[in-house]
Amino acid sequence: MKKLFLIIGAPGSGKTTDAELIAEQNSAITHYSTGDMLRAEVATKSALGLEIDSYISKGLIVPIEVAIKTITNAIKNAPTDIIIIDGYPRSMEQLNALDEYLHVDSSLELASVIEVRVSEETARDRVLGRNRGADDNSEVFDSRMKVYTEPLADIQAFYKAKNLLHVISGEGTIETIVSEMGSFINSKM
């Protein structure tokens, strides 16, 4: 049975970097970033990519039917039995769609949801210092933060009630965060 770890956190929390490093250190783990997968589709300049870009560039959530298809395809095609996905879910709609999928696919266990928690000031400093394009726009950042924080309490409560939510601080060094996150994931493997 495959085990799935979801990494959630505000834009600028560093969750993608942390998850990438953990996967690099352990060949038994496959890591996917929802954002990177969606941006890869945008880079193809396909009709779907242009549609995705119209949401991402405004800091909006990509429609659930696109996001859940991306996630489930990644899970099915993962070359390992331990999978980390970061950046999902960001809304109750996404959460419910993924939860429904997990109930249907009995070959997959949601092992834990790890929230990397940072202050808004830290998130803002990190995002606006990336020089990555549209994401560096303060207005876009504010929109992305609002999209993330509005449903956060409900998402936390959902996973906490299932004893699946594990919170770590993202304010420390990358080495400290990766060590803590990696140790927790290894304990669940």
Side-chain angles (χ1 to χ4, degrees):
M1 177 179 286
K2 290 188 175 185
K3 287 190 177 183
L4 176 65
F5 291 85
L6 299 178
I7 314 294
I8 63 173
S13 63
K15 59 190 177 298
T16 299
T17 300
D18 304 330
E20 281 178 350
L21 286 172
I22 289 170
E24 286 175 6
Q25 294 169 3
N26 191 331
S27 60
I29 296 174
T30 299
H31 165 250
Y32 296 107
S33 164
T34 309
D36 286 346
M37 286 188 285
L38 294 173
R39 280 188 285 272
E41 185 64 40
V42 170
T44 67
K45 299 190 183 300
S46 65
L48 178 60
L50 293 174
E51 180 186 357
I52 292 170
D53 189 47
S54 70
Y55 290 90
I56 292 178
S57 63
K58 295 173 186 171
L60 301 174
I61 288 180
V62 174
I64 186 64
E65 60 271 13
V66 175
I68 194 66
K69 182 177 180 180
T70 304
I71 295 296
T72 54
N73 282 344
I75 291 170
K76 289 174 185 175
N77 296 320
T80 65
D81 288 335
I82 307 297
I83 307 158
I84 301 176
I85 293 179
D86 76 73
Y88 192 94
R90 284 252 176 102
S91 70
M92 288 304 295
E93 185 183 27
Q94 288 184 346
L95 184 155
N96 290 331
L98 181 61
D99 192 52
E100 181 180 341
Y101 172 76
L102 292 173
H103 279 100
V104 171
D105 190 336
S106 59
S107 66
L108 185 69
E109 172 195 352
L110 178 56
S112 185
V113 178
I114 302 171
E115 180 187 354
V116 183
R117 193 171 291 176
V118 296
S119 68
E120 185 169 337
E121 181 180 1
T122 296
R124 180 179 291 276
D125 287 345
R126 289 176 180 171
V127 169
L128 299 184
R130 280 182 188 153
N131 296 317
R132 199 178 61 188
D135 285 350
D136 291 334
N137 181 288
S138 185
E139 187 176 329
V140 170
F141 171 80
D142 290 340
S143 176
R144 290 178 68 209
M145 282 298 289
K146 183 178 180 182
V147 163
Y148 172 75
T149 57
E150 284 186 346
L152 179 58
D154 290 336
I155 292 172
Q156 290 169 326
F158 180 91
Y159 287 123
K160 190 173 183 180
K162 292 176 176 283
N163 199 30
L164 287 171
L165 183 67
H166 180 74
V167 179
I168 67 171
S169 171
E171 299 286 349
T173 64
I174 290 178
E175 291 79 13
T176 300
I177 299 164
V178 168
S179 176
E180 182 178 347
M181 189 187 294
S183 294
F184 177 75
I185 290 173
N186 287 335
S187 74
K188 295 287 185 178
M189 290 170 61

